[in-house]
Amino acid sequence: MISVLPACADRATADASATAWALAARAGDPEAADHFVRALHGDVLRYVTHLSGDPQTAHDLTQDTFARAFSSLHRYEGRASARTWLLSIARRAVVDNLRRAAVRPRIADTTDWQTAAERNQPCDLPGFDEGVALLDLLQTLPEERREAFLLTQVVGLSYEEAAGFVGCPVGTVRSRVSRARVSLDRLLLDSETLSTEAD
């Protein structure tokens, strides 16, 4: 319990700073705008990567999120933390991107696009295969559980912040995260069993 308190305090301090920078950027301070982006860029990038399931477009989605944020910064009043506000914008950016992709499917220059995509992946990085496997497992979760899990376990929001972000009670977020963990544990165990049987 004691080790959790400093992390919560650090998160609250970081959120307060990011919110102050957003408000100062709204007033026209370019240095505050830079601090705001630097403070939350990693969180937005992780969130859109996992929410979209497409690491290739994550940087574009992150830029889109900040572009949208700066264009509507004049309306931001600091009632919610800047992190929560920005992640809600990121969520809309991902949804809009998925809608656009559904309307305009990608066209590949090759007949064997899967092999071409696999060749372009940095497979020699440590943990790459495990990361791909985890992304695949996360995609099998129901959307509400996946989002709650990503917000709390990947992005690092508290259960209270995640509840405010998705608009449901804290207990619902806790339940969704718990169920997501149970599902992921079961899926990992199943995949390990299949792997062992295949050997």
Side-chain angles (χ1 to χ4, degrees), residues 141-175:
L141 295 175
E143 184 180 342
E144 292 174 338
R145 290 182 191 172
R146 180 174 65 243
E147 183 176 41
F149 183 85
L150 292 171
L151 285 171
T152 58
Q153 308 306 304
V154 177
V155 176
L157 294 183
S158 69
Y159 287 100
E160 292 78 12
E161 290 170 321
F165 180 72
V166 298
C168 68
V170 175
T172 302
V173 172
R174 290 184 191 279
S175 174

PDB file of all heavy atoms in Angstrom, residues 141-175:
ATOM      1  N   LEU A 141     -10.809  -9.483 -26.683  1.00  0.00           N
ATOM      2  CA  LEU A 141     -11.643  -9.043 -25.562  1.00  0.00           C
ATOM      3  C   LEU A 141     -12.794  -8.173 -26.062  1.00  0.00           C
ATOM      4  O   LEU A 141     -12.642  -7.450 -27.053  1.00  0.00           O
ATOM      5  CB  LEU A 141     -10.814  -8.228 -24.566  1.00  0.00           C
ATOM      6  CG  LEU A 141      -9.694  -8.940 -23.830  1.00  0.00           C
ATOM      7  CD1 LEU A 141      -8.922  -7.925 -22.978  1.00  0.00           C
ATOM      8  CD2 LEU A 141     -10.215 -10.066 -22.971  1.00  0.00           C
ATOM      9  N   PRO A 142     -13.911  -8.197 -25.372  1.00  0.00           N
ATOM     10  CA  PRO A 142     -14.982  -7.247 -25.708  1.00  0.00           C
ATOM     11  C   PRO A 142     -14.452  -5.813 -25.576  1.00  0.00           C
ATOM     12  O   PRO A 142     -13.608  -5.530 -24.717  1.00  0.00           O
ATOM     13  CB  PRO A 142     -16.065  -7.536 -24.668  1.00  0.00           C
ATOM     14  CG  PRO A 142     -15.788  -8.923 -24.196  1.00  0.00           C
ATOM     15  CD  PRO A 142     -14.305  -9.109 -24.295  1.00  0.00           C
ATOM     16  N   GLU A 143     -14.931  -4.906 -26.398  1.00  0.00           N
ATOM     17  CA  GLU A 143     -14.389  -3.545 -26.473  1.00  0.00           C
ATOM     18  C   GLU A 143     -14.355  -2.836 -25.118  1.00  0.00           C
ATOM     19  O   GLU A 143     -13.372  -2.185 -24.780  1.00  0.00           O
ATOM     20  CB  GLU A 143     -15.204  -2.717 -27.464  1.00  0.00           C
ATOM     21  CG  GLU A 143     -14.653  -1.329 -27.667  1.00  0.00           C
ATOM     22  CD  GLU A 143     -15.460  -0.508 -28.659  1.00  0.00           C
ATOM     23  OE1 GLU A 143     -16.226  -1.088 -29.437  1.00  0.00           O
ATOM     24  OE2 GLU A 143     -15.309   0.716 -28.630  1.00  0.00           O
ATOM     25  N   GLU A 144     -15.411  -2.965 -24.324  1.00  0.00           N
ATOM     26  CA  GLU A 144     -15.456  -2.258 -23.037  1.00  0.00           C
ATOM     27  C   GLU A 144     -14.378  -2.769 -22.089  1.00  0.00           C
ATOM     28  O   GLU A 144     -13.745  -1.988 -21.376  1.00  0.00           O
ATOM     29  CB  GLU A 144     -16.834  -2.417 -22.398  1.00  0.00           C
ATOM     30  CG  GLU A 144     -17.927  -1.691 -23.152  1.00  0.00           C
ATOM     31  CD  GLU A 144     -19.306  -1.984 -22.591  1.00  0.00           C
ATOM     32  OE1 GLU A 144     -19.496  -3.023 -21.916  1.00  0.00           O
ATOM     33  OE2 GLU A 144     -20.203  -1.158 -22.827  1.00  0.00           O
ATOM     34  N   ARG A 145     -14.156  -4.081 -22.068  1.00  0.00           N
ATOM     35  CA  ARG A 145     -13.110  -4.646 -21.201  1.00  0.00           C
ATOM     36  C   ARG A 145     -11.728  -4.254 -21.697  1.00  0.00           C
ATOM     37  O   ARG A 145     -10.844  -3.919 -20.904  1.00  0.00           O
ATOM     38  CB  ARG A 145     -13.233  -6.172 -21.143  1.00  0.00           C
ATOM     39  CG  ARG A 145     -14.449  -6.637 -20.398  1.00  0.00           C
ATOM     40  CD  ARG A 145     -14.499  -8.143 -20.340  1.00  0.00           C
ATOM     41  NE  ARG A 145     -15.794  -8.586 -19.854  1.00  0.00           N
ATOM     42  CZ  ARG A 145     -16.182  -9.838 -19.830  1.00  0.00           C
ATOM     43  NH1 ARG A 145     -15.383 -10.794 -20.249  1.00  0.00           N
ATOM     44  NH2 ARG A 145     -17.381 -10.163 -19.369  1.00  0.00           N
ATOM     45  N   ARG A 146     -11.527  -4.317 -23.015  1.00  0.00           N
ATOM     46  CA  ARG A 146     -10.232  -3.961 -23.583  1.00  0.00           C
ATOM     47  C   ARG A 146      -9.898  -2.506 -23.259  1.00  0.00           C
ATOM     48  O   ARG A 146      -8.797  -2.178 -22.834  1.00  0.00           O
ATOM     49  CB  ARG A 146     -10.244  -4.191 -25.101  1.00  0.00           C
ATOM     50  CG  ARG A 146      -8.917  -3.848 -25.763  1.00  0.00           C
ATOM     51  CD  ARG A 146      -8.872  -4.218 -27.237  1.00  0.00           C
ATOM     52  NE  ARG A 146      -9.816  -3.458 -28.021  1.00  0.00           N
ATOM     53  CZ  ARG A 146     -10.835  -3.977 -28.686  1.00  0.00           C
ATOM     54  NH1 ARG A 146     -11.043  -5.270 -28.696  1.00  0.00           N
ATOM     55  NH2 ARG A 146     -11.654  -3.194 -29.376  1.00  0.00           N
ATOM     56  N   GLU A 147     -10.877  -1.617 -23.426  1.00  0.00           N
ATOM     57  CA  GLU A 147     -10.634  -0.198 -23.168  1.00  0.00           C
ATOM     58  C   GLU A 147     -10.304   0.051 -21.701  1.00  0.00           C
ATOM     59  O   GLU A 147      -9.354   0.771 -21.388  1.00  0.00           O
ATOM     60  CB  GLU A 147     -11.844   0.632 -23.587  1.00  0.00           C
ATOM     61  CG  GLU A 147     -11.614   2.121 -23.418  1.00  0.00           C
ATOM     62  CD  GLU A 147     -12.780   2.941 -23.922  1.00  0.00           C
ATOM     63  OE1 GLU A 147     -13.944   2.543 -23.681  1.00  0.00           O
ATOM     64  OE2 GLU A 147     -12.528   3.983 -24.525  1.00  0.00           O
ATOM     65  N   ALA A 148     -11.050  -0.559 -20.794  1.00  0.00           N
ATOM     66  CA  ALA A 148     -10.783  -0.388 -19.358  1.00  0.00           C
ATOM     67  C   ALA A 148      -9.396  -0.917 -19.005  1.00  0.00           C
ATOM     68  O   ALA A 148      -8.649  -0.291 -18.243  1.00  0.00           O
ATOM     69  CB  ALA A 148     -11.853  -1.104 -18.535  1.00  0.00           C
ATOM     70  N   PHE A 149      -9.037  -2.067 -19.575  1.00  0.00           N
ATOM     71  CA  PHE A 149      -7.722  -2.658 -19.312  1.00  0.00           C
ATOM     72  C   PHE A 149      -6.613  -1.744 -19.825  1.00  0.00           C
ATOM     73  O   PHE A 149      -5.638  -1.472 -19.120  1.00  0.00           O
ATOM     74  CB  PHE A 149      -7.637  -4.041 -19.974  1.00  0.00           C
ATOM     75  CG  PHE A 149      -6.350  -4.760 -19.708  1.00  0.00           C
ATOM     76  CD1 PHE A 149      -6.189  -5.509 -18.554  1.00  0.00           C
ATOM     77  CD2 PHE A 149      -5.294  -4.694 -20.602  1.00  0.00           C
ATOM     78  CE1 PHE A 149      -5.007  -6.174 -18.298  1.00  0.00           C
ATOM     79  CE2 PHE A 149      -4.103  -5.350 -20.359  1.00  0.00           C
ATOM     80  CZ  PHE A 149      -3.955  -6.095 -19.199  1.00  0.00           C
ATOM     81  N   LEU A 150      -6.752  -1.255 -21.057  1.00  0.00           N
ATOM     82  CA  LEU A 150      -5.732  -0.393 -21.638  1.00  0.00           C
ATOM     83  C   LEU A 150      -5.579   0.919 -20.874  1.00  0.00           C
ATOM     84  O   LEU A 150      -4.467   1.368 -20.616  1.00  0.00           O
ATOM     85  CB  LEU A 150      -6.051  -0.111 -23.102  1.00  0.00           C
ATOM     86  CG  LEU A 150      -5.933  -1.306 -24.045  1.00  0.00           C
ATOM     87  CD1 LEU A 150      -6.472  -0.958 -25.421  1.00  0.00           C
ATOM     88  CD2 LEU A 150      -4.497  -1.759 -24.137  1.00  0.00           C
ATOM     89  N   LEU A 151      -6.703   1.519 -20.520  1.00  0.00           N
ATOM     90  CA  LEU A 151      -6.638   2.797 -19.802  1.00  0.00           C
ATOM     91  C   LEU A 151      -5.939   2.669 -18.464  1.00  0.00           C
ATOM     92  O   LEU A 151      -5.141   3.529 -18.081  1.00  0.00           O
ATOM     93  CB  LEU A 151      -8.048   3.359 -19.596  1.00  0.00           C
ATOM     94  CG  LEU A 151      -8.723   3.957 -20.816  1.00  0.00           C
ATOM     95  CD1 LEU A 151     -10.179   4.273 -20.516  1.00  0.00           C
ATOM     96  CD2 LEU A 151      -7.990   5.197 -21.290  1.00  0.00           C
ATOM     97  N   THR A 152      -6.228   1.582 -17.738  1.00  0.00           N
ATOM     98  CA  THR A 152      -5.654   1.444 -16.389  1.00  0.00           C
ATOM     99  C   THR A 152      -4.303   0.732 -16.375  1.00  0.00           C
ATOM    100  O   THR A 152      -3.414   1.119 -15.614  1.00  0.00           O
ATOM    101  CB  THR A 152      -6.623   0.682 -15.463  1.00  0.00           C
ATOM    102  OG1 THR A 152      -6.906  -0.608 -16.024  1.00  0.00           O
ATOM    103  CG2 THR A 152      -7.914   1.458 -15.272  1.00  0.00           C
ATOM    104  N   GLN A 153      -4.118  -0.275 -17.220  1.00  0.00           N
ATOM    105  CA  GLN A 153      -2.910  -1.084 -17.148  1.00  0.00           C
ATOM    106  C   GLN A 153      -1.825  -0.652 -18.126  1.00  0.00           C
ATOM    107  O   GLN A 153      -0.645  -0.924 -17.882  1.00  0.00           O
ATOM    108  CB  GLN A 153      -3.253  -2.566 -17.400  1.00  0.00           C
ATOM    109  CG  GLN A 153      -4.365  -3.095 -16.523  1.00  0.00           C
ATOM    110  CD  GLN A 153      -4.113  -2.889 -15.042  1.00  0.00           C
ATOM    111  OE1 GLN A 153      -3.091  -3.322 -14.517  1.00  0.00           O
ATOM    112  NE2 GLN A 153      -5.029  -2.211 -14.365  1.00  0.00           N
ATOM    113  N   VAL A 154      -2.192  -0.004 -19.220  1.00  0.00           N
ATOM    114  CA  VAL A 154      -1.198   0.424 -20.206  1.00  0.00           C
ATOM    115  C   VAL A 154      -0.961   1.923 -20.121  1.00  0.00           C
ATOM    116  O   VAL A 154       0.163   2.377 -19.976  1.00  0.00           O
ATOM    117  CB  VAL A 154      -1.624   0.003 -21.635  1.00  0.00           C
ATOM    118  CG1 VAL A 154      -0.635   0.518 -22.669  1.00  0.00           C
ATOM    119  CG2 VAL A 154      -1.757  -1.513 -21.734  1.00  0.00           C
ATOM    120  N   VAL A 155      -2.034   2.691 -20.191  1.00  0.00           N
ATOM    121  CA  VAL A 155      -1.897   4.151 -20.129  1.00  0.00           C
ATOM    122  C   VAL A 155      -1.562   4.603 -18.711  1.00  0.00           C
ATOM    123  O   VAL A 155      -0.840   5.566 -18.508  1.00  0.00           O
ATOM    124  CB  VAL A 155      -3.185   4.838 -20.651  1.00  0.00           C
ATOM    125  CG1 VAL A 155      -3.102   6.346 -20.492  1.00  0.00           C
ATOM    126  CG2 VAL A 155      -3.399   4.487 -22.113  1.00  0.00           C
ATOM    127  N   GLY A 156      -2.081   3.892 -17.705  1.00  0.00           N
ATOM    128  CA  GLY A 156      -1.741   4.205 -16.322  1.00  0.00           C
ATOM    129  C   GLY A 156      -2.723   5.103 -15.599  1.00  0.00           C
ATOM    130  O   GLY A 156      -2.402   5.660 -14.554  1.00  0.00           O
ATOM    131  N   LEU A 157      -3.931   5.252 -16.136  1.00  0.00           N
ATOM    132  CA  LEU A 157      -4.938   6.043 -15.426  1.00  0.00           C
ATOM    133  C   LEU A 157      -5.395   5.286 -14.186  1.00  0.00           C
ATOM    134  O   LEU A 157      -5.395   4.058 -14.159  1.00  0.00           O
ATOM    135  CB  LEU A 157      -6.154   6.293 -16.319  1.00  0.00           C
ATOM    136  CG  LEU A 157      -5.980   7.157 -17.565  1.00  0.00           C
ATOM    137  CD1 LEU A 157      -7.323   7.330 -18.266  1.00  0.00           C
ATOM    138  CD2 LEU A 157      -5.393   8.509 -17.233  1.00  0.00           C
ATOM    139  N   SER A 158      -5.795   6.023 -13.170  1.00  0.00           N
ATOM    140  CA  SER A 158      -6.405   5.396 -11.999  1.00  0.00           C
ATOM    141  C   SER A 158      -7.787   4.895 -12.400  1.00  0.00           C
ATOM    142  O   SER A 158      -8.331   5.297 -13.428  1.00  0.00           O
ATOM    143  CB  SER A 158      -6.534   6.404 -10.856  1.00  0.00           C
ATOM    144  OG  SER A 158      -7.506   7.376 -11.179  1.00  0.00           O
ATOM    145  N   TYR A 159      -8.356   4.021 -11.582  1.00  0.00           N
ATOM    146  CA  TYR A 159      -9.698   3.523 -11.877  1.00  0.00           C
ATOM    147  C   TYR A 159     -10.706   4.683 -11.911  1.00  0.00           C
ATOM    148  O   TYR A 159     -11.622   4.688 -12.734  1.00  0.00           O
ATOM    149  CB  TYR A 159     -10.128   2.468 -10.854  1.00  0.00           C
ATOM    150  CG  TYR A 159      -9.419   1.150 -11.046  1.00  0.00           C
ATOM    151  CD1 TYR A 159      -8.337   0.796 -10.252  1.00  0.00           C
ATOM    152  CD2 TYR A 159      -9.828   0.265 -12.030  1.00  0.00           C
ATOM    153  CE1 TYR A 159      -7.685  -0.408 -10.427  1.00  0.00           C
ATOM    154  CE2 TYR A 159      -9.186  -0.948 -12.220  1.00  0.00           C
ATOM    155  CZ  TYR A 159      -8.106  -1.282 -11.415  1.00  0.00           C
ATOM    156  OH  TYR A 159      -7.468  -2.477 -11.607  1.00  0.00           O
ATOM    157  N   GLU A 160     -10.506   5.658 -11.034  1.00  0.00           N
ATOM    158  CA  GLU A 160     -11.414   6.809 -10.992  1.00  0.00           C
ATOM    159  C   GLU A 160     -11.316   7.632 -12.275  1.00  0.00           C
ATOM    160  O   GLU A 160     -12.328   8.055 -12.833  1.00  0.00           O
ATOM    161  CB  GLU A 160     -11.108   7.686  -9.768  1.00  0.00           C
ATOM    162  CG  GLU A 160     -11.435   7.047  -8.436  1.00  0.00           C
ATOM    163  CD  GLU A 160     -10.402   6.015  -7.962  1.00  0.00           C
ATOM    164  OE1 GLU A 160      -9.292   5.930  -8.553  1.00  0.00           O
ATOM    165  OE2 GLU A 160     -10.723   5.263  -7.027  1.00  0.00           O
ATOM    166  N   GLU A 161     -10.075   7.857 -12.748  1.00  0.00           N
ATOM    167  CA  GLU A 161      -9.888   8.620 -13.986  1.00  0.00           C
ATOM    168  C   GLU A 161     -10.488   7.870 -15.174  1.00  0.00           C
ATOM    169  O   GLU A 161     -11.142   8.462 -16.034  1.00  0.00           O
ATOM    170  CB  GLU A 161      -8.399   8.862 -14.237  1.00  0.00           C
ATOM    171  CG  GLU A 161      -7.768   9.836 -13.271  1.00  0.00           C
ATOM    172  CD  GLU A 161      -6.256   9.868 -13.399  1.00  0.00           C
ATOM    173  OE1 GLU A 161      -5.641   8.804 -13.592  1.00  0.00           O
ATOM    174  OE2 GLU A 161      -5.695  10.967 -13.316  1.00  0.00           O
ATOM    175  N   ALA A 162     -10.257   6.555 -15.210  1.00  0.00           N
ATOM    176  CA  ALA A 162     -10.798   5.748 -16.310  1.00  0.00           C
ATOM    177  C   ALA A 162     -12.320   5.778 -16.293  1.00  0.00           C
ATOM    178  O   ALA A 162     -12.960   5.868 -17.340  1.00  0.00           O
ATOM    179  CB  ALA A 162     -10.284   4.309 -16.219  1.00  0.00           C
ATOM    180  N   ALA A 163     -12.905   5.727 -15.092  1.00  0.00           N
ATOM    181  CA  ALA A 163     -14.367   5.780 -14.975  1.00  0.00           C
ATOM    182  C   ALA A 163     -14.898   7.104 -15.511  1.00  0.00           C
ATOM    183  O   ALA A 163     -15.895   7.142 -16.240  1.00  0.00           O
ATOM    184  CB  ALA A 163     -14.782   5.575 -13.519  1.00  0.00           C
ATOM    185  N   GLY A 164     -14.230   8.201 -15.171  1.00  0.00           N
ATOM    186  CA  GLY A 164     -14.636   9.502 -15.691  1.00  0.00           C
ATOM    187  C   GLY A 164     -14.472   9.582 -17.195  1.00  0.00           C
ATOM    188  O   GLY A 164     -15.288  10.178 -17.892  1.00  0.00           O
ATOM    189  N   PHE A 165     -13.438   8.949 -17.685  1.00  0.00           N
ATOM    190  CA  PHE A 165     -13.156   8.985 -19.114  1.00  0.00           C
ATOM    191  C   PHE A 165     -14.204   8.220 -19.919  1.00  0.00           C
ATOM    192  O   PHE A 165     -14.683   8.705 -20.940  1.00  0.00           O
ATOM    193  CB  PHE A 165     -11.765   8.390 -19.372  1.00  0.00           C
ATOM    194  CG  PHE A 165     -11.380   8.370 -20.807  1.00  0.00           C
ATOM    195  CD1 PHE A 165     -11.052   9.530 -21.474  1.00  0.00           C
ATOM    196  CD2 PHE A 165     -11.342   7.184 -21.508  1.00  0.00           C
ATOM    197  CE1 PHE A 165     -10.704   9.523 -22.812  1.00  0.00           C
ATOM    198  CE2 PHE A 165     -10.997   7.148 -22.844  1.00  0.00           C
ATOM    199  CZ  PHE A 165     -10.674   8.325 -23.482  1.00  0.00           C
ATOM    200  N   VAL A 166     -14.565   7.015 -19.460  1.00  0.00           N
ATOM    201  CA  VAL A 166     -15.527   6.213 -20.228  1.00  0.00           C
ATOM    202  C   VAL A 166     -16.967   6.474 -19.812  1.00  0.00           C
ATOM    203  O   VAL A 166     -17.892   6.020 -20.466  1.00  0.00           O
ATOM    204  CB  VAL A 166     -15.228   4.691 -20.147  1.00  0.00           C
ATOM    205  CG1 VAL A 166     -13.876   4.374 -20.734  1.00  0.00           C
ATOM    206  CG2 VAL A 166     -15.328   4.178 -18.730  1.00  0.00           C
ATOM    207  N   GLY A 167     -17.171   7.206 -18.709  1.00  0.00           N
ATOM    208  CA  GLY A 167     -18.516   7.577 -18.285  1.00  0.00           C
ATOM    209  C   GLY A 167     -19.292   6.460 -17.627  1.00  0.00           C
ATOM    210  O   GLY A 167     -20.459   6.236 -17.958  1.00  0.00           O
ATOM    211  N   CYS A 168     -18.635   5.764 -16.709  1.00  0.00           N
ATOM    212  CA  CYS A 168     -19.326   4.710 -15.963  1.00  0.00           C
ATOM    213  C   CYS A 168     -18.801   4.705 -14.527  1.00  0.00           C
ATOM    214  O   CYS A 168     -17.804   5.348 -14.232  1.00  0.00           O
ATOM    215  CB  CYS A 168     -19.123   3.350 -16.631  1.00  0.00           C
ATOM    216  SG  CYS A 168     -17.450   2.722 -16.547  1.00  0.00           S
ATOM    217  N   PRO A 169     -19.467   3.986 -13.618  1.00  0.00           N
ATOM    218  CA  PRO A 169     -19.005   3.947 -12.227  1.00  0.00           C
ATOM    219  C   PRO A 169     -17.636   3.271 -12.091  1.00  0.00           C
ATOM    220  O   PRO A 169     -17.265   2.433 -12.916  1.00  0.00           O
ATOM    221  CB  PRO A 169     -20.083   3.111 -11.517  1.00  0.00           C
ATOM    222  CG  PRO A 169     -21.274   3.148 -12.408  1.00  0.00           C
ATOM    223  CD  PRO A 169     -20.748   3.302 -13.802  1.00  0.00           C
ATOM    224  N   VAL A 170     -16.919   3.638 -11.038  1.00  0.00           N
ATOM    225  CA  VAL A 170     -15.597   3.066 -10.779  1.00  0.00           C
ATOM    226  C   VAL A 170     -15.686   1.551 -10.638  1.00  0.00           C
ATOM    227  O   VAL A 170     -14.833   0.815 -11.147  1.00  0.00           O
ATOM    228  CB  VAL A 170     -14.976   3.690  -9.497  1.00  0.00           C
ATOM    229  CG1 VAL A 170     -13.663   3.009  -9.151  1.00  0.00           C
ATOM    230  CG2 VAL A 170     -14.769   5.177  -9.684  1.00  0.00           C
ATOM    231  N   GLY A 171     -16.715   1.068  -9.966  1.00  0.00           N
ATOM    232  CA  GLY A 171     -16.882  -0.376  -9.786  1.00  0.00           C
ATOM    233  C   GLY A 171     -17.007  -1.111 -11.112  1.00  0.00           C
ATOM    234  O   GLY A 171     -16.527  -2.241 -11.257  1.00  0.00           O
ATOM    235  N   THR A 172     -17.627  -0.480 -12.082  1.00  0.00           N
ATOM    236  CA  THR A 172     -17.761  -1.093 -13.407  1.00  0.00           C
ATOM    237  C   THR A 172     -16.394  -1.215 -14.070  1.00  0.00           C
ATOM    238  O   THR A 172     -16.081  -2.235 -14.685  1.00  0.00           O
ATOM    239  CB  THR A 172     -18.716  -0.264 -14.290  1.00  0.00           C
ATOM    240  OG1 THR A 172     -19.982  -0.171 -13.628  1.00  0.00           O
ATOM    241  CG2 THR A 172     -18.888  -0.881 -15.657  1.00  0.00           C
ATOM    242  N   VAL A 173     -15.556  -0.172 -13.938  1.00  0.00           N
ATOM    243  CA  VAL A 173     -14.207  -0.227 -14.509  1.00  0.00           C
ATOM    244  C   VAL A 173     -13.418  -1.339 -13.830  1.00  0.00           C
ATOM    245  O   VAL A 173     -12.752  -2.146 -14.498  1.00  0.00           O
ATOM    246  CB  VAL A 173     -13.480   1.126 -14.368  1.00  0.00           C
ATOM    247  CG1 VAL A 173     -12.020   1.002 -14.773  1.00  0.00           C
ATOM    248  CG2 VAL A 173     -14.171   2.188 -15.197  1.00  0.00           C
ATOM    249  N   ARG A 174     -13.488  -1.418 -12.494  1.00  0.00           N
ATOM    250  CA  ARG A 174     -12.770  -2.479 -11.772  1.00  0.00           C
ATOM    251  C   ARG A 174     -13.225  -3.855 -12.253  1.00  0.00           C
ATOM    252  O   ARG A 174     -12.408  -4.749 -12.462  1.00  0.00           O
ATOM    253  CB  ARG A 174     -12.998  -2.348 -10.275  1.00  0.00           C
ATOM    254  CG  ARG A 174     -12.324  -1.159  -9.648  1.00  0.00           C
ATOM    255  CD  ARG A 174     -12.526  -1.158  -8.120  1.00  0.00           C
ATOM    256  NE  ARG A 174     -12.109   0.079  -7.549  1.00  0.00           N
ATOM    257  CZ  ARG A 174     -10.849   0.403  -7.265  1.00  0.00           C
ATOM    258  NH1 ARG A 174      -9.901  -0.457  -7.533  1.00  0.00           N
ATOM    259  NH2 ARG A 174     -10.558   1.565  -6.738  1.00  0.00           N
ATOM    260  N   SER A 175     -14.522  -4.021 -12.424  1.00  0.00           N
ATOM    261  CA  SER A 175     -15.065  -5.293 -12.881  1.00  0.00           C
ATOM    262  C   SER A 175     -14.578  -5.626 -14.287  1.00  0.00           C
ATOM    263  O   SER A 175     -14.184  -6.760 -14.572  1.00  0.00           O
ATOM    264  CB  SER A 175     -16.593  -5.237 -12.848  1.00  0.00           C
ATOM    265  OG  SER A 175     -17.147  -6.387 -13.406  1.00  0.00           O
TER     266      SER A 175
END
